[in-house]
Amino acid sequence: TKHFRVQTDDPRQPHAELVITGTVAGYVEVTPARVSLVGSLGEPLVMEVRITPVKGFPFVVKEARALTGQYIRIDLKPLGKKPSESGYLLTVTNIRQEPGGFGDYIEITTDLKEKPTFGVPVNGRILPLKDK
C-alpha cells in the first residue's frame, strides 16, 4: 500500500490523497539475495546462490556475468533436468590475493519477457593474516 499527496489546480480541493493497494508478484527467488565474501587472506571464500523461477514464470538463463569480475569468479549450473522450472545454482568465489574490500554486481540475463535481467550484488572483505 502506498499513499500519495497530490496537489491540484482545483480551488475547492487543492490537495488530494491517493492510495494504491496491490500485490507485487515476483518472477524469481534469489537466495540469498546478496553475496558477502568475508574472511582472512588465503582462506577459500565461496558462496552459493540459488536462483529459482516462481511458479508460472519459467525462464532460461542466457548469461551470468560479473560487471567487473576483478575479484570474483562465477559459475552457473542448472539444477535438475528442467532448469527453467527447478532453477540454477550460482557459485561465487573470491580470487582476490591481497587484503582489502571490494564490490561487484552479477547481472543475470534471462528469456523472461517480464523480467529479462536481474542482479545479485556482491561485497567482499579480505582480512590480513594475523601475526602469531
Side-chain angles (χ1 to χ4, degrees):
T1 302
K2 294 288 183 178
H3 296 265
F4 301 93
R5 185 176 169 99
V6 179
Q7 188 173 355
T8 72
D9 61 359
D10 183 347
R12 292 173 295 155
Q13 187 178 8
H15 300 290
E17 182 83 19
L18 300 177
V19 179
I20 298 175
T21 303
T23 302
V24 177
Y27 302 108
V28 61
E29 290 180 12
V30 180
T31 308
R34 67 183 314 108
V35 172
S36 182
L37 300 170
V38 178
S40 296
L41 187 63
E43 173 182 323
L45 299 175
V46 180
M47 190 167 190
E48 293 181 337
V49 178
R50 189 177 182 101
I51 300 168
T52 310
V54 171
K55 188 172 180 155
F57 296 99
F59 62 81
V60 173
V61 172
K62 294 179 178 179
E63 180 184 28
R65 66 180 186 88
L67 290 187
T68 70
Q70 185 176 7
Y71 298 119
I72 60 172
R73 183 179 69 238
I74 62 172
D75 182 49
L76 184 72
K77 292 196 183 330
L79 294 171
K81 293 184 180 178
K82 289 185 102 180
S84 63
E85 294 174 6
S86 56
Y88 297 84
L89 185 66
L90 174 68
T91 304
V92 184
T93 305
N94 168 64
I95 58 172
R96 185 175 173 124
Q97 298 296 314
E98 65 275 343
F102 64 90
D104 209 331
Y105 188 79
I106 301 169
E107 187 173 80
I108 312 288
T109 305
T110 73
D111 66 352
L112 186 62
K113 67 177 179 158
E114 293 88 352
K115 187 75 172 168
T117 61
F118 62 91
V120 179
V122 177
N123 65 58
R125 182 174 167 109
I126 309 305
L127 306 169
L129 292 173
K130 295 180 182 177
D131 293 330
K132 293 184 178 186

